[in-house]
Amino acid sequence: MLLRVISDVKPKWIAIAFDKSRVTFRNNMYADYKAQRKETPSELSEQFPIAKKLLEAMNISVLELEGYEADDIIGTFALHKSDEAEVIIVTGDRDELQLLKDNVKVFYTKRGITDIQEFDVEEFKANYEGLEPSQLVDLKGLMGDASDNIPGVPGVGPKTAMKLITEYQSVENVLANIEEIKGKSLKEKLEENKEKAILSKQLAR
């Protein structure tokens, strides 16, 4: 996959980010963050040191930092890049879509390297009913994310979350306008889970 990306993209610079440890600053915010994840199989984890040696031999930077996820490292580089640089993030994680900007694209690996969806800001809007990439964290704040064990608001699914963020733009605005929202049950869910919604947005960012 890596060799195919290098061949197709021909990048001037390249770096690969790894998760350093399972425990990150998000676990301090929410103890159950990713708590449902199983341990990495030893058959895989013992390959990481070999992979890193190979990358070093290929003169490719390996980035990892205690207390942070690989996603955070990628996000930092995407946010603080030179304005002249075009950043391409190659990942199988949709969380990175929140980083999309004019000079930041995401190559989302739907199935290995043979099926890639190229996301820019316009592609994101086409897939997320006109929302801005930065609003992905607001969606997660309401609907949560089972893969990362982000709670969201119990009982609020993707369709309801999309409708609310489209109308109110952010989690904070949704919570500030609960009285306007139709449906007694939905109002109660939002009212009872305000703190969870705000926390979930913070975890997703």
Side-chain angles (χ1 to χ4, degrees), residues 110-153:
K110 294 164 74 173
R111 190 170 58 248
I113 208 69
T114 58
D115 187 4
I116 287 179
Q117 185 173 4
E118 294 186 21
F119 276 93
D120 56 15
V121 173
E122 292 310 311
E123 180 70 8
F124 180 89
K125 289 180 178 180
N127 282 262
Y128 287 84
E129 298 183 21
L131 294 184
E132 295 291 334
S134 60
Q135 291 175 297
L136 183 60
V137 295
D138 291 286
L139 283 179
K140 297 273 180 94
L142 294 181
M143 70 183 192
D145 185 342
S147 67
D148 289 337
N149 212 33
I150 295 175
V153 176

Side-chain angles (χ1 to χ4, degrees), residues 168 172-181:
Y168 294 101
E172 290 80 3
N173 280 349
V174 169
L175 299 179
N177 292 281
I178 291 176
E179 287 309 310
E180 290 181 10
I181 295 169

Side-chain angles (χ1 to χ4, degrees), residues 94-95 97-99 124 128 130-145 150-154 156-176 181 186 190 193-205:
R94 284 181 177 269
D95 287 343
L97 297 180
Q98 65 186 271
L99 300 169
F124 180 89
Y128 287 84
L131 294 184
E132 295 291 334
S134 60
Q135 291 175 297
L136 183 60
V137 295
D138 291 286
L139 283 179
K140 297 273 180 94
L142 294 181
M143 70 183 192
D145 185 342
I150 295 175
V153 176
V156 172
K159 286 184 179 178
T160 303
M162 184 74 76
K163 182 181 175 184
L164 289 171
I165 298 304
T166 299
E167 186 170 354
Y168 294 101
Q169 300 302 303
S170 71
V171 165
E172 290 80 3
N173 280 349
V174 169
L175 299 179
I181 295 169
L186 179 56
L190 292 168
N193 293 281
K194 284 182 176 181
E195 290 182 4
K196 269 188 183 175
I198 296 294
L199 173 63
S200 296
K201 178 176 176 175
Q202 291 172 340
L203 292 170
R205 178 178 280 119

Side-chain angles (χ1 to χ4, degrees), residues 31-165:
D32 289 334
Y33 179 70
K34 290 191 176 181
Q36 86 291 9
R37 296 271 183 102
K38 294 179 181 177
E39 287 287 333
T40 305
S42 60
E43 295 87 349
L44 177 59
S45 60
E46 21 185 74
Q47 294 182 49
F48 290 143
I50 302 167
K52 289 170 186 174
K53 282 185 180 178
L54 177 61
L55 293 171
E56 185 181 343
M58 294 172 71
N59 201 28
I60 293 175
S61 297
V62 171
L63 307 174
E64 54 187 355
L65 187 62
E66 196 73 48
Y68 293 89
E69 297 180 45
D71 288 351
D72 297 311
I73 297 171
I74 293 167
T76 302
F77 270 76
L79 186 66
H80 296 288
K81 66 176 179 56
S82 160
D83 289 337
E84 290 80 39
E86 180 185 7
V87 174
I88 296 174
I89 299 166
V90 183
T91 180
D93 190 342
R94 284 181 177 269
D95 287 343
E96 258 85 330
L97 297 180
Q98 65 186 271
L99 300 169
L100 290 165
K101 290 182 179 176
D102 288 343
N103 277 17
V104 179
K105 293 180 180 175
V106 171
F107 285 8
Y108 175 62
T109 55
K110 294 164 74 173
R111 190 170 58 248
I113 208 69
T114 58
D115 187 4
I116 287 179
Q117 185 173 4
E118 294 186 21
F119 276 93
D120 56 15
V121 173
E122 292 310 311
E123 180 70 8
F124 180 89
K125 289 180 178 180
N127 282 262
Y128 287 84
E129 298 183 21
L131 294 184
E132 295 291 334
S134 60
Q135 291 175 297
L136 183 60
V137 295
D138 291 286
L139 283 179
K140 297 273 180 94
L142 294 181
M143 70 183 192
D145 185 342
S147 67
D148 289 337
N149 212 33
I150 295 175
V153 176
V156 172
K159 286 184 179 178
T160 303
M162 184 74 76
K163 182 181 175 184
L164 289 171
I165 298 304

